[in-house]
Amino acid sequence: VTKASQQRKSLFSNEYSNPSRIDQFYHLHGELVGFSPKMTRDFVIRGDQSIAEMAELLIVMFNGELYHMYDVENKSANVIYRIQDEDMEDLFSEIDNVKIVDAEEATVSLLKTDDELRVHYDFGDDWEFKLTVKNVAEHDQLWTPRVTDAVGYGIIEDIGGVSGLAKYYREFKSGDIDPYMREQFGDHLIDLRDADNERINNMIKGYLGTRGW
């Protein structure tokens, strides 16, 4: 262990991080809940990134534009991670003995292999993603964060959640698209079966650019 690595771990030595995993690489599997056919994302992220960054990356990889609020629930640890907002302090009050933690302070290093989380996005459309820690590795040869596998296009913002997405998918397959949706998309109707790793990784880079990476 280098001196720089030791200093780095001491920097993250608090209740929001696990110093022993702060420099490790998390292989995660995300799935949109309630939609068929399955839509999934497999990606790699470092342990020093915040829970907020992890959740936002997942949402971006599923084509969310981060217009709406979100939270991350870890039922096995009785924890909900949220962005702290002084104007919404009630969201940080205790809920049935569940601890509410600032998602921007907590890091991915708190998670361990086989942890299963739920990411809720847009409490109107009520998107839900299941996020599983597949494994934690000490080394990774490529840049992170990055998507390693993807199935399906992802969500469409403000379409009405899973039920609205399913309705669009049925209409797309039949060729009978709602006129409003056809007007929105024009000649570029979205095939929800399509997934493009390169496009998704470019979206990740765009997100990282907004974070100053």
Side-chain angles (χ1 to χ4, degrees):
V1 181
T2 66
K3 184 177 180 181
S5 179
Q6 288 175 330
Q7 289 174 338
R8 179 179 174 76
K9 288 179 179 179
S10 66
L11 215 99
F12 284 94
S13 183
N14 56 51
E15 62 176 313
Y16 296 115
S17 299
N18 183 331
S20 66
R21 292 198 290 263
I22 204 73
D23 287 326
Q24 297 192 346
F25 297 88
Y26 281 71
H27 293 252
L28 307 176
H29 176 79
E31 179 178 337
L32 176 62
V33 174
F35 185 80
S36 181
K38 282 188 176 183
M39 292 194 188
T40 63
R41 300 290 186 265
D42 290 276
F43 64 107
V44 185
I45 190 171
R46 281 175 57 117
D48 61 351
Q49 292 196 255
S50 69
I51 295 292
E53 289 171 325
M54 177 194 73
E56 291 176 9
L57 280 164
L58 178 71
I59 293 164
V60 165
M61 285 188 286
F62 275 97
N63 294 294
E65 298 184 26
L66 300 176
Y67 291 152
H68 308 284
M69 295 177 62
Y70 65 86
D71 66 23
V72 181
E73 182 179 11
N74 187 343
K75 287 186 177 179
S76 64
N78 288 322
V79 171
I80 293 177
Y81 300 97
R82 288 179 175 155
I83 299 291
Q84 192 159 11
D85 188 328
E86 292 180 358
D87 296 328
M88 307 185 74
E89 289 184 0
D90 57 313
L91 292 180
F92 281 78
S93 58
E94 190 171 282
I95 305 174
D96 296 329
N97 298 317
V98 175
K99 186 178 182 182
I100 309 299
V101 176
D102 190 337
E104 292 184 306
E105 292 288 340
T107 65
V108 173
S109 68
L110 293 173
L111 307 178
K112 57 186 184 301
T113 301
D114 294 330
D115 272 0
E116 184 179 296
L117 302 96
R118 297 288 171 138
V119 178
H120 308 102
Y121 172 61
D122 183 357
F123 301 143
D125 275 8
D126 197 25
W127 301 106
E128 181 177 351
F129 305 94
K130 182 172 72 172
L131 186 60
T132 307
V133 181
K134 304 304 288 185
N135 63 73
V136 184
E138 291 187 7
H139 305 287
D140 191 273
Q141 299 297 320
L142 301 176
W143 60 275
T144 58
R146 70 180 186 280
V147 70
T148 58
D149 190 40
V151 176
Y153 175 83
I155 69 172
I156 299 174
E157 287 277 14
D158 302 323
I159 200 170
V162 165
S163 61
L165 196 67
K167 178 177 181 291
Y168 170 81
Y169 183 57
R170 290 193 301 270
E171 292 175 353
F172 178 86
K173 288 193 296 181
S174 69
D176 186 20
I177 302 288
D178 180 278
Y180 172 77
M181 296 302 293
R182 188 174 289 280
E183 183 180 341
Q184 292 295 306
F185 296 129
D187 295 329
H188 303 287
L189 293 175
I190 296 171
D191 187 342
L192 295 177
R193 296 164 295 191
D194 288 347
D196 183 339
N197 283 15
E198 183 178 357
R199 181 181 68 87
I200 295 169
N201 277 319
N202 284 334
M203 290 192 299
I204 290 174
K205 291 175 181 176
Y207 164 80
L208 295 176
T210 67
R211 306 282 295 196
W213 283 56

